[in-house]
Amino acid sequence: MGKRIGAGKRGRSPGRTAVLLGAGALVTGMLAGCGSGGGVKINVYYAPEDSFQKVVDNCNKAANGKYEIVYNKLQRGADDQRLQMARRLAAGDTAMDVLGLDVTWVSEFAEAGWVEEWKDQNKAAATEGVLQGPLETATHNGKLYAATKNTNVQLLWYDDRITPTPPKTWDEMIAKSKELKAQGKPYSIVFTGAQYEGLVVFYNTLVESMGGHILSDDGKSVVLDDGAVKALALLKQIASSGITDPSLTNSKEDDVRQTFQRGDAAFELNWPFVYASYAKEKPQDVSHFKWAVYPEAQAGTPAKTTIGGYDLAVSSLSPHKPEAFEAALCLRNAENQKYSAINDGVPPTIESVYHNDTPLDPSKPAGDDNPNMAIKYPMRDSIIEAIKDSAVRPLTPAYQNMSTVMSKVLSPPGEIDPKTTADKLREQLNDALQSKGVIP
């Protein structure tokens, strides 16, 4: 989900990472791929997700002994997940078969030659019915290198007791926030303003909504055009107009959620996970917790909201590639995407899943104890609308370097000077793009 998005720290070349791994860890990993029973073990390395083991069990049952999927739970932090997989792959570890990649890592792993291209029947199965935005995250240089597992997109959340009608534009929202402040009511606009990937996501949404570009379409050169400069000006306006929470520069996804949930804000820009948390922790008020698509940066032009999520790739070092492709397809098929969406709050990438209102137990009526998509995703139409007009972060193998640079230059957002900040971004992003090879 949105909370898992993170920017990795880079500073070592692939050649040096092999030394860091350690022979003992590598041997242990390779032995794990064999299995004590001698059968084919498909090792899946994926982020912590509460119900993912059940999905694995479903796929093992469907495999009927052809192979056994083993869920290797990665660390909770996205930086740590990426670093572990990059180090092991750089060291030639053959025990990793299916890799759970944050949507910002696919280009990097593909460029390094660490993941296989999806072709023919596997490609057809992986792309069938998938929304265009999420599908784009799984590509590199026009080729498919992963299958989409789940996506994510931010919405505007509000309390209809404070704001009966949601603002359609940023100008409207800023004006409403100032009006509420003058009335002594909750007024803040809360979003991820800390120096990390969440701030980059916020800025990228503003850039794309302004019709701007950070990089060229091929991801090989820095553009940072007029739309990107206008986005800097809007970000500064939002952060310096006295309408944000005092904790803005320390706010990450869950901080934003808690601030709004406490009643200390009027508008929240965040991922859909906030709805389940609100329903659980404030059930008496959840009927007033409303949502809308992201506000427009340019009146009359729908916002292009940056998407998140995870994709599944097959390691180029896997000795069981046919089984790995089959396993990956099962883990993210329509039925399992629905199960993960309902149980773990990770929005599907397959459009038809959103409209599947069969409850988890089809033999019983739908209800809170037997939920379906309508119950868990009342905001599904807004999610689909946002995804269909969404933006992806720059698709480049150097994204992690770029993210680190952008989060640093953009922070604190209230001190941005659009022209000076743009010049600094151009210079430092150009340096980031010149990185040679993959630096985990």
Side-chain angles (χ1 to χ4, degrees), residues 112-437:
W114 288 341
V115 293
E116 289 287 301
E117 181 185 352
W118 288 65
K119 300 178 180 179
D120 304 325
Q121 291 181 341
N122 288 328
K123 179 179 180 181
T127 57
E128 183 178 3
V130 174
L131 291 157
Q132 182 58 37
L135 185 59
E136 189 176 346
T137 71
T139 65
H140 176 63
N141 289 339
K143 297 179 179 180
L144 189 71
Y145 283 95
T148 61
K149 181 193 173 292
N150 65 268
T151 187
N152 225 336
V153 67
Q154 294 189 348
L155 299 174
L156 169 63
W157 304 88
Y158 64 100
D159 188 322
D160 66 1
R161 293 168 296 187
I162 298 173
T163 310
T165 303
K168 291 185 177 181
T169 68
W170 271 102
D171 285 344
E172 288 180 17
M173 188 158 68
I174 291 169
K176 185 63 177 179
S177 179
K178 290 180 177 179
E179 177 186 327
L180 291 169
K181 185 176 184 180
Q183 296 171 355
K185 297 178 180 179
Y187 65 87
S188 295
I189 300 172
V190 289
F191 61 94
T192 51
Q195 185 181 315
Y196 81 119
E197 179 69 7
L199 179 57
V200 178
V201 167
F202 187 81
Y203 175 60
N204 189 70
T205 292
L206 297 183
V207 172
E208 293 278 350
S209 299
M210 287 287 191
H213 298 81
I214 296 172
L215 297 187
S216 57
D217 289 341
D218 62 9
K220 295 180 179 179
S221 59
V222 179
V223 175
L224 217 77
D225 54 17
D226 185 58
V229 177
K230 288 180 179 177
L232 287 172
L234 178 55
L235 177 55
K236 177 182 176 61
Q237 179 187 0
I238 296 165
S240 60
S241 296
I243 52 174
T244 58
D245 190 81
S247 64
L248 172 65
T249 55
N250 293 312
S251 293
K252 297 186 177 182
E253 283 93 338
D254 205 52
D255 304 307
V256 171
R257 176 190 71 83
Q258 292 182 46
T259 298
F260 185 91
Q261 205 165 288
R262 285 196 305 267
D264 293 336
F267 305 107
E268 174 184 10
L269 296 159
N270 216 334
W271 311 95
F273 82 94
V274 301
Y275 181 82
S277 297
Y278 200 105
K280 180 180 179 180
E281 297 173 25
K282 297 184 72 175
Q284 71 280 8
D285 293 327
V286 73
S287 63
H288 297 288
F289 188 43
K290 302 297 184 180
W291 56 87
V293 294
Y294 220 83
E296 298 170 355
Q298 302 181 99
T301 302
K304 296 182 72 66
T305 315
T306 304
I307 55 175
Y310 270 72
D311 300 328
L312 297 178
V314 172
S315 168
S316 58
L317 299 173
S318 170
H320 310 297
K321 291 186 180 69
E323 294 86 354
F325 277 110
E326 186 176 325
L329 284 170
C330 180
L331 294 170
R332 46 79 58 206
N333 67 23
E335 199 58 33
N336 283 325
Q337 284 204 23
K338 172 187 164 187
Y339 184 89
S340 294
I342 290 174
N343 285 282
D344 288 316
V346 287
T349 66
I350 300 172
E351 184 173 2
S352 62
V353 176
Y354 288 92
H355 307 293
N356 184 343
D357 283 341
T358 303
L360 286 179
D361 184 348
S363 67
K364 300 177 181 178
D368 290 339
D369 57 347
N370 187 31
N372 60 9
M373 288 297 292
I375 292 171
K376 287 292 187 177
Y377 283 83
M379 76 297 292
R380 58 185 173 177
D381 289 340
S382 294
I383 291 176
I384 293 173
E385 181 182 351
I387 291 174
K388 285 187 173 180
D389 203 5
S390 61
V392 298
R393 280 160 279 186
L395 299 176
T396 169
Y399 182 79
Q400 300 305 317
N401 271 355
M402 284 187 54
S403 176
T404 300
V405 165
M406 286 194 288
S407 64
K408 183 176 180 180
V409 173
L410 294 172
S411 183
E415 296 181 11
I416 287 173
D417 175 85
K419 184 180 184 306
T420 302
T421 303
D423 289 341
K424 186 181 294 186
L425 279 172
R426 289 189 190 98
E427 178 184 358
Q428 295 192 20
L429 288 176
N430 186 63
D431 289 344
L433 284 185
Q434 303 310 309
S435 299
K436 304 299 181 182

Side-chain angles (χ1 to χ4, degrees), residues 51-102:
S51 301
F52 189 62
Q53 183 59 55
K54 175 60 176 174
V55 171
V56 169
D57 294 342
N58 291 341
C59 290
N60 281 335
K61 184 177 180 180
N64 197 29
K66 184 177 180 181
Y67 54 80
E68 180 187 355
I69 303 172
V70 179
Y71 175 22
N72 297 271
K73 191 178 296 185
L74 291 167
Q75 301 95 318
R76 188 159 294 279
D79 292 0
D80 296 329
Q81 295 168 21
R82 174 180 163 275
L83 187 58
Q84 180 190 151
M85 289 189 289
R87 285 178 170 178
R88 293 182 64 169
L89 290 165
D93 191 340
T94 61
M96 306 176 78
D97 299 300
V98 178
L99 312 174
L101 303 182
D102 183 286

